[in-house]
Amino acid sequence: MRDMKVLVIGSGGREHALVWKLKQSPRVSAVFCAPGNGGIAVDATCVPIKISEHDALIAFAKREGIGLTVVGPDDALAAGIVDRFEAEGLRIFGVNQSAARLESSKVFAKEFMLRHGIPTAASGQFSDPEKARAFAAAMKTPIVVKASGLALGKGVIIAETHAAADVAIREIMEERKFGDAGAEVVIEEFLDGEECSIHALVDGGSYLLFPSAQDHKRALDGDRGLNTGGMGTFSPADKVLPPALEQRVRTEVLDRFVAGLKADGLDFRGMLFPGLMVTADGPKVLEFNCRFGDPETQVLLTRLESDLLDLLDATIDRRLAGVAPKWSSEAAVCVIMASGGYPGAYSGGKEITGLADAKATVFHAGTKRDGGKFFSAGGRVLGVTALAPTLAEARARAYSAVDGIAFEGAQFRRDIGAKGL
Ligand code: AMP
Ligand code: GLY
């Protein structure tokens, strides 16, 4: 029966993909998004409530009779939005505040991994800058210095020299470049390899592994330039994670993760997205994210043939064991079109043309709609996503659509997916 109203919280390309997929559910009667963006407003009713306004979101969900709220961003989870909704008797998908520490505190995540034998970089953690410096001085370079708290993906510095590590420790811990996120640091060995994004729904006792994906974090072609939120993705990433390695991810990461939750008494129901480095010694966890990836969600949901609502319901109700969704055997590619200058300073308000004729699914990450026209309104603007029988064809389709879309200063990579060929 089509009688369920859903509310998606967030305003980026990931949230547009969640809205797009949930709208296709035969059980969903209406989709709302808070606050959403110009492109999301085509697929959902956007409500102007910020993700930090928990009271207003709760009041809206009650007034509108929302049957399920789905949380996109990590900061809402870390702020305890799930605990608040549940205390009000409202149904919500996402991890509670206690479980969200696996993403919001790198120290907490490291301790969890060590305690439960999950492979990760050797490291030390410090709240005293003197001790941090002494530890770094004894390490081989390059040295990875991470602010423990949430820092919009920017709190990781790869220091090529011991002097650079000292500077990073000073900036993070003493000058508080990332604010209180830098009260503690994790200092770890540099891992060499290919990165891979893993997504698994976890219901506390079981998990459901999604197909693999690969993100492109650097701003420029050939993995040069600054780190960004992600400039594009493709799925499957089976060249970096062939079946034998995927099996190791199951036994060494996910099985141990679920056993660790039980041992520690953590109630984790939601999406686990470990960022992996696939090294010569096998897969190692760089970080845990406790939410859908952005722009990984755009390619994963494009390949999901089953009803997403059923999977989210099964997670909340601890029924994941035995759930087997259908995935397209085709490949998906998402190319991010960003504002010129991103991830540094950029200006918005540029008119976007060519959207109506695009032969691809265009998820909006940062746009405004005004009188039927769309304008850029963010660093990442669009995620142009195509599905095709092979990765090469999916790339060709995505880039052909990108070439038909324009806005002043548009910046994108030409090599998304090239490594998977
Ligand atoms: P994180 O937020 O911990 O995922 O780190 C952000 C990015 O820094 C990762 O996506 C990697 O590209 C890089 N990185 C983090 N930790 C390491 C490490 N130990 N070795 C090499 N690269 C790393
Ligand atoms: N695409 C990386 C992330 O969502 O953190």
Side-chain angles (χ1 to χ4, degrees):
M1 218 193 355
R2 191 179 277 279
D3 59 358
M4 162 91 84
K5 291 181 179 181
V6 298
L7 167 65
V8 173
I9 293 179
S11 61
R14 162 184 53 206
E15 286 76 19
H16 194 182
L18 288 165
V19 160
W20 171 86
K21 186 66 190 170
L22 287 166
K23 195 182 158 187
Q24 295 168 33
S25 166
R27 290 162 53 210
V28 168
S29 60
V31 183
F32 297 85
C33 188
N37 65 39
I40 292 176
V42 175
D43 290 310
T45 304
C46 289
V47 282
I49 307 175
K50 295 200 197 92
I51 64 165
S52 55
E53 293 172 341
H54 296 186
D55 290 333
L57 290 166
I58 286 168
F60 173 80
K62 286 185 174 170
R63 190 167 69 239
E64 198 59 57
I66 298 293
L68 177 68
T69 298
V70 181
V71 185
D74 51 17
D75 39 359
L77 299 167
I81 193 168
V82 169
D83 310 64
R84 287 289 321 280
F85 267 64
E86 286 181 342
E88 298 285 338
L90 293 166
R91 197 169 164 82
I92 184 163
F93 176 86
V95 295
N96 61 32
Q97 191 169 26
S98 175
R101 285 178 297 166
L102 286 161
E103 174 164 2
S104 63
S105 166
K106 289 191 192 288
V107 167
F108 184 81
K110 262 305 192 214
E111 287 175 343
F112 182 92
M113 289 188 253
L114 286 182
R115 205 161 45 242
H116 303 299
I118 295 171
T120 185
S123 67
Q125 58 204 48
F126 305 92
S127 48
D128 175 351
E130 274 317 314
K131 291 190 176 139
R133 273 190 280 270
F135 183 82
M139 282 175 80
K140 272 201 320 209
T141 56
I143 299 164
V144 184
V145 184
K146 301 183 174 186
S148 179
L150 293 178
L152 293 171
K154 293 179 192 156
V156 175
I157 293 171
I158 300 186
E160 301 292 340
T161 62
H162 287 104
D166 284 351
V167 171
I169 292 166
R170 189 183 72 227
E171 287 181 346
I172 294 176
M173 301 190 82
E174 292 169 342
E175 293 166 12
R176 294 294 168 95
K177 193 173 171 182
F178 306 111
D180 288 342
E184 284 185 287
V185 292
V186 171
I187 298 186
E188 66 182 29
E189 66 172 323
F190 179 81
L191 297 175
D192 212 359
E194 273 295 313
E195 284 185 59
C196 181
S197 299
I198 296 297
H199 284 70
L201 288 169
V202 176
D203 69 4
S206 313
Y207 62 83
L208 175 73
L209 180 59
F210 279 23
S212 58
Q214 194 171 22
D215 190 10
H216 298 65
K217 291 239 169 81
R218 302 294 201 96
L220 306 175
D221 283 13
D223 294 331
R224 291 173 302 112
L226 294 173
N227 258 321
T228 69
M231 293 300 290
T233 41
F234 65 97
S235 172
D238 40 14
K239 213 173 123 193
V240 0
L241 202 74
L245 284 178
E246 185 179 284
Q247 189 52 39
R248 284 185 68 178
V249 170
R250 287 180 183 276
T251 55
E252 295 172 22
V253 179
L254 296 168
D255 290 350
R256 291 177 195 174
F257 183 85
V258 170
L261 295 179
K262 286 188 189 150
D264 292 356
L266 267 184
D267 182 17
F268 186 115
R269 279 177 295 152
M271 175 57 86
L272 176 70
F273 154 26
L276 296 184
M277 188 69 87
V278 183
T279 71
D281 297 334
K284 299 199 178 186
V285 175
L286 290 176
E287 62 168 347
F288 285 134
N289 302 295
C290 303
R291 53 172 173 86
F292 284 88
D294 188 350
E296 285 86 346
T297 303
Q298 289 83 322
V299 287
L300 293 173
L301 295 186
T302 295
R303 294 187 62 212
L304 177 63
E305 291 178 346
S306 302
D307 186 353
L308 175 63
L309 184 59
D310 290 343
L311 304 186
L312 303 183
D313 271 340
T315 306
I316 296 170
D317 298 333
R318 307 182 199 279
R319 290 187 282 104
L320 274 179
V323 172
K326 275 178 64 186
W327 295 96
S328 167
S329 60
E330 298 197 325
V333 170
C334 170
V335 179
I336 296 294
M337 297 181 77
S339 296
Y342 174 77
Y346 57 82
S347 50
K350 312 291 184 201
E351 186 180 346
I352 307 168
T353 58
L355 288 170
D357 302 321
K359 289 189 176 52
T361 309
V362 182
F363 296 115
H364 290 232
T367 65
K368 277 204 170 111
R369 191 167 56 156
D370 191 2
K373 291 181 175 174
F374 289 95
F375 297 86
S376 64
R380 293 189 288 180
V381 178
L382 303 170
V384 181
T385 309
L387 184 71
T390 65
L391 180 61
E393 289 165 277
R395 288 191 72 216
R397 270 187 210 178
Y399 278 110
S400 146
V402 164
D403 287 334
I405 297 171
F407 54 93
E408 193 189 313
Q411 167 190 321
F412 56 89
R413 283 180 60 162
R414 273 278 166 207
D415 63 348
I416 302 302
K419 268 193 278 188
L421 295 174

